[in-house]
Amino acid sequence: MTSPLDPDLTSAVQAFAAHPRVLVATDFDGVLAPLVLDPMDSRPVEGGMPALTDLAALPGVTVALVSGRALAPLRQLSEARDPLVLIGSHGVEDSRHTDGLALDEDQHALLETLAQEVEALAERHPGVRVEDKPAGRVVHTRGLPAQEGKDALAEAAALAERHTSLVVTPGKEVVELAVAHVGKGAALLALADDLDADAVFYAGDDLTDEHGFAALADDTDTARAGRRLTVRVGDGETRAGFRVADEEAVVELLVALVAARRSAGRSVSPAPDRSTAGG
Ligand SMILES: [Mg+2]
């Protein structure tokens, strides 16, 4: 059962579709796939991925899934294929890079050092468990004698003090040390910059997506900020410009975007570079 799109949203879709180079980015869970109890049971809603595939095939359009999930399960569950861009782990992973990581040289080097130092720490404290993350390591001390666990976490804290660019997230009997914490907002802006996008669409349903909406609204490229189209899926306070009810409404919106881009494509062709892309 579908209902027609809000007329203001329809107008916004048409205006968005008319820009030469556009980035269409969306979150996955809660936007293209209904939320489920076991995250690996998640399946895309009917029509969503085909609409994104159609969009990605149109000139001047880049489509990206931007998720908190790691890249591998995101690819597996969405069944997304090139040229769709996959951004995983809140921006730490990027399918456009051969190793799947959106890290610079320094961060790569730091990740290697971190891995070695954490391994040595685990050898000094038998019972410490090390969890590998794409851009970091998590040190778990649950189950260790209290003093032993405390000592191990103190060593992890000292390690973090030696490498000041590490992002430290402490928890109860656990500490995560990461070489990067990108976040969806920074990831979206970086992607828009890379593509030299004139306008950005983003749809999301959660708190982390609010960072995306906020970053696009506060984009220092004020012209691009003015051309953003942001959509919150479901309830909750939001900085997005529009709201739709659920995943089915997202599909409807994406189908409308495909149609609008196809008809805009007859009068607009992608500009060769930004200087000719207009105000
Ligand atoms: Mg979500």
Side-chain angles (χ1 to χ4, degrees):
M1 196 59 199
T2 57
S3 53
L5 284 183
D6 175 281
D8 289 346
L9 181 51
T10 303
S11 309
V13 163
Q14 280 159 2
F16 175 83
H19 296 298
R21 224 181 327 248
V22 298
L23 166 60
V24 176
T26 114
D27 178 29
F28 182 70
D29 294 280
V31 174
L32 290 165
L35 298 174
V36 289
L37 217 50
D38 181 343
M40 290 311 288
D41 285 343
S42 168
R43 294 292 174 271
V45 70
E46 196 181 332
M49 291 307 297
L52 288 179
T53 304
D54 287 350
L55 268 171
L58 297 174
V61 182
T62 299
V63 174
L65 297 184
V66 181
S67 176
R69 283 185 188 264
L71 211 53
L74 178 62
R75 181 178 283 126
Q76 182 193 333
L77 295 171
S78 68
E79 297 183 5
R81 298 287 174 266
D82 285 346
L84 265 68
V85 175
L86 299 179
I87 305 289
S89 303
H90 297 107
V92 170
E93 294 179 288
D94 185 330
S95 65
R96 295 171 303 159
H97 298 248
T98 42
D99 66 353
L101 280 176
L103 300 182
D104 64 25
E105 232 169 86
D106 290 345
Q107 290 169 323
H108 271 295
L110 181 55
L111 183 58
E112 213 165 291
T113 306
L114 174 68
Q116 288 164 3
E117 293 196 17
V118 166
E119 197 184 333
L121 185 156
E123 276 168 18
R124 285 192 298 277
H125 300 278
V128 162
R129 283 173 302 112
V130 178
E131 179 190 350
D132 288 7
K133 286 274 189 101
R137 293 292 181 273
V138 188
V139 176
H140 296 271
T141 62
R142 186 180 301 269
L144 264 71
Q147 190 58 47
E148 184 76 16
K150 234 174 121 183
D151 291 348
L153 290 181
E155 272 190 43
L159 193 165
E161 266 172 46
R162 282 200 304 281
H163 304 289
T164 51
S165 54
L166 283 176
V167 182
V168 185
T169 312
K172 197 168 174 269
E173 298 179 290
V174 61
V175 62
E176 175 164 350
L177 305 169
V179 300
H181 174 72
V182 182
K184 286 186 176 182
L188 277 168
L189 291 180
L191 193 53
D193 284 342
D194 287 352
L195 300 166
D196 210 1
D198 300 297
V200 181
F201 169 99
Y202 187 62
D205 72 310
D206 212 337
L207 211 54
T208 56
D209 301 307
E210 290 298 326
H211 298 143
F213 300 142
L216 294 174
D218 302 335
D219 193 342
T220 52
D221 182 339
T222 51
R224 192 172 63 193
R227 303 187 202 108
R228 74 189 185 281
L229 174 47
T230 48
V231 182
R232 169 86 181 210
V233 182
D235 299 333
E237 224 178 284
T238 188
R239 283 199 68 189
F242 294 90
R243 189 191 299 278
V244 297
D246 52 24
E247 295 86 354
E248 281 74 22
V250 171
V251 173
E252 204 181 332
L253 173 61
L254 294 175
V255 167
L257 199 46
V258 174
R261 184 68 183 182
R262 280 191 178 132
S263 71
R266 290 178 205 119
S267 51
V268 180
S269 57
D273 63 58
R274 190 163 194 82
S275 58
T276 57

